[in-house]
Amino acid sequence: QIAAKELNIYCHPDHNFMTASIPSHRLFVHVRRLVAKGYKVGVIKQMETAALKAAGENKSSLFSRKLTALYTKSTLIGEDILFKYICFQALIFAIWEAILDDSVDVEEVTTDVPDNYLLCICENGGNLKDSKKGDIVIGLMAIQPTTGEVIFDSFRDCASRLELESRVLRLQPVEIILPSSLSDQSEKLINSITSM
């Protein structure tokens, strides 16, 4: 129903659900339009053909379907390209330790910032010695899916989160992935930046 309204196409009941159809060769045109309006678009494809179904043991069951792509503002870069959040998050946490030891300054890498960075922010406040209340080590990882560019950085920040603010404003990400637990100061800053 949402797609029908946004794409100005016909929506009708089909058995137990509503459907709005488009030609499969025009899928990416419509996906781009929905993503431009701020929606996340999942593409579900039928995984079996009629011939496979007839030859298999489950002839009378429904065709199996699977989510094959998820498109957002930062991941919409080509018709057949899918950037998986789960893989991205696994990568972030797998190299978190490396980020803390081998950081690259955001200013060095971002002289010409593309407009669709996907940014992940991690914090580590428990291991700081001689720290003031609110001080924290922050790790950033930004990915530019169209070019494959990866930027990672870690830095110590004070309670006001000035360093975090300057780096996020410099990168201007279109999406930000946050951990399930984020300090109050960082959360307030991210909320203020994303509301602008």
Side-chain angles (χ1 to χ4, degrees):
Q1 290 174 321
I2 292 171
K5 178 183 159 210
E6 295 293 349
L7 300 173
N8 198 23
I9 59 177
Y10 181 67
C11 183
H12 60 91
D14 184 8
H15 296 85
N16 294 330
F17 57 92
M18 298 298 287
T19 185
S21 299
I22 57 169
S24 59
H25 69 277
R26 301 274 300 159
L27 172 67
F28 205 64
V29 172
H30 296 297
V31 168
R32 278 190 182 280
R33 288 173 60 197
L34 289 170
V35 168
K37 292 180 184 243
Y39 294 99
K40 292 179 183 176
V41 180
V43 177
I44 298 172
K45 292 188 177 177
Q46 183 173 302
M47 304 309 290
E48 298 174 303
T49 63
L52 285 174
K53 191 79 161 161
E57 296 176 6
N58 55 355
K59 296 176 185 176
S60 61
S61 65
L62 297 173
F63 283 93
S64 67
R65 290 174 172 82
K66 183 177 172 184
L67 178 68
T68 59
L70 178 63
Y71 298 105
T72 63
K73 284 185 178 181
S74 68
T75 61
L76 185 68
I77 58 178
E79 185 168 348
D80 298 320
I81 296 174
L82 167 65
F83 187 85
K84 297 184 180 182
Y85 284 111
I86 296 169
C87 294
F88 175 73
Q89 288 175 335
L91 174 67
I92 295 298
F93 296 114
I95 64 172
W96 169 245
E97 292 298 321
I99 291 174
L100 293 176
D101 296 332
D102 187 22
S103 62
V104 173
D105 187 14
V106 173
E107 301 295 325
E108 294 173 10
V109 184
T110 58
T111 55
D112 184 25
V113 179
D115 62 354
N116 63 339
Y117 273 105
L118 177 60
L119 176 67
C120 182
I121 299 172
C122 298
E123 295 181 330
N124 186 356
N127 298 336
L128 294 179
K129 295 177 182 172
D130 305 324
S131 64
K132 299 179 213 165
K133 184 165 176 58
D135 283 5
I136 200 161
V137 173
I138 297 176
L140 296 178
M141 181 170 227
I143 295 180
Q144 212 305 2
T146 56
T147 64
E149 180 182 10
V150 177
I151 298 172
F152 56 94
D153 192 8
S154 70
F155 51 92
R156 190 176 205 156
D157 208 353
C158 62
S160 63
R161 301 295 188 263
L162 293 175
E163 288 293 320
L164 176 60
E165 180 180 22
S166 70
R167 283 166 167 81
V168 171
L169 291 175
R170 175 86 173 136
L171 288 169
Q172 297 180 349
V174 293
E175 289 186 67
I176 301 175
I177 297 175
L178 300 173
S180 56
S181 61
L182 193 65
S183 67
D184 291 340
Q185 296 95 329
S186 298
E187 191 170 344
K188 286 177 187 174
L189 173 71
I190 297 300
N191 286 337
S192 70
I193 289 173
T194 56
S195 66
M196 287 193 278

